[in-house]
């Protein structure tokens, strides 16, 4: 995606400490209003977010480091295993609390430190589950949730094509 079609959005979010914080997401220009609305709704719901910063804040912009840090992020210039660009590289996907909401496909777990959160019967603040108001904040606006996928399961991931 050309950089001129991406926008940095500064958002308020509720931290796990119960306090208001501000963070940045980079998303496609046409999704800015959606992202602002979704995160305003999550804030109203008091859905906690561990942190929210762009992945370039991590050494080498390493996705695994960002996920291990439970960092909510959007734009990330990374390819899919097929070689095509991911929707993150197009600014059309957001990962929310990725440590608590891991990606799992067979033995592939991302982040690798998220094993305790494979038990989706756990109901802890910041975890995402089908039917949660936090998931619905995205889905009712036309976003797809990776937790609804058969394989892989990507509990952190929301996308809008």
């Amino acid at each position: 995606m050309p950089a001129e079609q991406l926008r940095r959005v500064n958002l308020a979010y509720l931290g796990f400490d119960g306090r208001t914080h501000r963070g940045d997401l980079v998303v496609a220009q046409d999704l800015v209003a959606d992202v602002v609305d979704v995160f305003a709704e999550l804030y109203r719901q008091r859905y906690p977010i561990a942190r929210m910063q762009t992945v370039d804040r991590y050494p080498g912009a390493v996705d695994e480091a960002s996920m291990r840090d439970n960092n909510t992020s959007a734009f990330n210039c990374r390819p899919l295993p097929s070689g095509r660009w991911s929707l993150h590289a197009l600014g059309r996907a957001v990962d929310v609390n990725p440590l608590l909401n891991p990606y799992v496909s067979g033995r592939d777990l991302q982040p690798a430190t998220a094993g305790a959160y494979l038990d989706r019967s756990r109901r802890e603040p910041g975890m995402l589950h089908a039917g949660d108001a936090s998931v619905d904040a995205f889905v009712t606006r036309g976003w797809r949730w990776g937790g609804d996928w058969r394989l892989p399961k990507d509990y952190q991931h929301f996308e809008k094509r």
Side-chain angles (χ1 to χ4, degrees):
M1 161 141 319
E4 60 270 5
Q5 293 178 20
L6 296 171
R7 297 291 180 269
R8 179 181 298 263
V9 184
N10 185 262
L11 301 162
Y13 67 92
L14 182 72
F16 279 83
D17 59 3
R19 298 173 59 187
T20 300
H21 299 269
R22 299 214 54 99
D24 292 324
L25 295 178
V26 175
V27 298
Q29 178 179 345
D30 66 310
L31 295 180
V32 168
D34 258 10
V35 168
V36 168
D37 288 348
V38 165
F39 281 88
E41 177 63 25
L42 294 177
Y43 186 83
R44 280 190 295 276
Q45 294 173 11
R46 301 195 53 78
Y47 175 82
I49 294 174
R51 62 192 39 80
M52 183 188 299
Q53 55 191 15
T54 57
V55 293
D56 63 321
R57 304 272 310 249
Y58 293 86
V62 177
D63 196 31
E64 176 73 14
S66 174
M67 287 190 293
R68 268 194 324 266
D69 201 25
N70 209 18
N71 180 49
T72 294
S73 65
F75 176 78
N76 188 346
C77 196
R78 67 175 181 230
L80 295 169
S82 67
R84 294 184 326 187
W85 289 111
S86 77
L87 289 180
H88 286 283
L90 304 175
R92 306 196 71 80
V94 176
D95 287 344
V96 178
N97 288 334
L99 178 64
L100 304 177
N101 301 297
Y103 166 96
V104 62
S105 181
R107 293 183 181 190
D108 184 15
L109 174 63
Q110 297 175 25
T113 55
Y117 299 101
L118 289 176
D119 178 359
R120 302 313 290 174
S121 68
R122 293 174 71 164
R123 294 281 177 177
E124 296 180 29
M127 290 182 74
L128 298 166
H129 299 90
D132 286 354
S134 49
V135 171
D136 290 346
F138 283 93
V139 173
T140 59
R141 290 170 174 85
W143 292 67
R144 291 182 46 210
W145 179 46
D148 283 337
W149 300 346
R150 186 159 182 246
L151 288 174
K153 286 290 190 181
D154 198 353
Y155 296 105
Q156 62 193 262
H157 183 86
F158 296 91
E159 66 182 37
K160 191 169 189 181
R161 296 183 180 270

